[in-house]
Amino acid sequence: MSEATHPANVVIVDHPLVQHKLSRLRDAATSTAGFRRLAREISLLLAYEATRDLKLEDVEIETPLERITGKHLSGKKLCFVSILRAGNGILDGMLDLVPSARVGHIGLFRDPATLRPVEYYCKLPDDIEARDCIVVDPMLATGHSAVAAIDSLKRAGAGTIIFVCLLAAPEGVACLAAAHPDVKIITCAVDRELDDHGYIRPGLGDAGDRLFGTK
């Protein structure tokens, strides 16, 4: 992974498999089915990085040959929080890696007058304050939706929060870092800029549309 030239709270996952799959995601010729499959594969690899600092404890186990001291996860448990709708496109790959994790959903839409996110749905585990939260959304563009979702999580009592996305724009990174400097951002790349329509450039288009085959 790499953090060079980016803020300290940003981790770029530059593993060759991630970068290879990201290039295929960017390709306009990639089909909906192919895009969905690649997003799931990349999300599993991103989840590997997002869970790097989980605590371990010793446990005694019997192998087929002898008794040893192994390692199990200890302490807080995980919750993946998907920002609807596109977040669901990278949620499944993370659940492949950590199938016991709880799942929360936060639905947001952009008010056409203020251009600010408005929450229309929020469902979180009752014990959210006892869980490490990994928020997932394919794109960190303006950063406003990510900030609003994390605001909701913190109001609910969440403590440790990590934000995971496929792509980020410098504007989104700056917005999220300013509002929540304690939240680590894990992504495959920070692209050049946002255009006048709020799309990440060069980007990969609208992740939700490409995941679900909509326009």
Side-chain angles (χ1 to χ4, degrees):
M1 65 182 178
S2 172
E3 299 178 19
T5 73
H6 296 294
N9 67 320
V10 177
V11 176
I12 307 294
V13 182
D14 56 4
H15 190 284
L17 282 176
V18 172
Q19 295 304 314
H20 167 77
K21 293 175 187 296
L22 176 61
S23 291
R24 293 179 62 195
L25 275 179
R26 291 185 188 274
D27 192 337
T30 298
S31 67
T32 297
F35 190 95
R36 192 177 297 147
R37 183 183 66 253
L38 288 163
R40 184 171 185 147
E41 291 170 355
I42 291 179
S43 66
L44 192 152
L45 297 169
L46 291 175
Y48 177 85
E49 183 59 43
T51 55
R52 175 180 293 276
D53 295 326
L54 292 180
K55 299 296 188 295
L56 295 171
E57 63 184 6
D58 292 340
V59 60
E60 296 296 315
I61 59 174
E62 293 281 352
T63 79
L65 300 176
E66 61 181 278
R67 189 172 183 83
I68 64 166
T69 300
K71 301 289 185 182
H72 276 185
L73 292 174
S74 68
K76 294 181 179 178
K77 297 181 180 180
L78 278 179
C79 178
F80 294 122
V81 180
S82 171
I83 299 179
L84 300 174
R85 65 178 170 148
N88 285 354
I90 59 174
L91 174 64
D92 287 345
M94 297 196 169
L95 288 172
D96 287 343
L97 189 67
V98 193
S100 62
R102 296 292 187 266
V103 177
H105 294 90
I106 297 177
L108 301 162
F109 69 89
R110 188 168 67 171
D111 185 290
T114 65
L115 302 182
R116 304 297 297 181
V118 177
E119 183 178 294
Y120 66 87
Y121 183 80
C122 183
K123 186 72 171 179
L124 303 171
D126 292 337
D127 61 347
I128 193 70
E129 71 283 350
R131 296 180 178 274
D132 291 335
C133 294
I134 298 176
V135 180
V136 298
D137 196 3
M139 314 296 275
L140 179 60
T142 64
H144 296 150
S145 292
V147 168
I150 293 168
D151 285 345
S152 291
L153 277 173
K154 288 187 174 180
R155 284 195 299 270
T160 301
I161 300 171
I162 295 173
F163 184 86
V164 177
C165 59
L166 300 176
L167 283 182
E171 296 89 339
V173 168
C175 178
L176 181 50
H180 297 290
D182 58 315
V183 173
K184 181 187 292 185
I185 301 167
I186 296 177
T187 185
C188 303
V190 177
D191 276 8
R192 184 179 69 248
E193 62 186 356
L194 290 180
D195 65 17
D196 293 339
H197 301 287
Y199 283 97
I200 298 175
R201 295 282 186 153
L204 49 75
D206 186 297
D209 286 345
R210 297 195 67 189
L211 280 163
F212 303 118
T214 54
K215 295 273 187 191

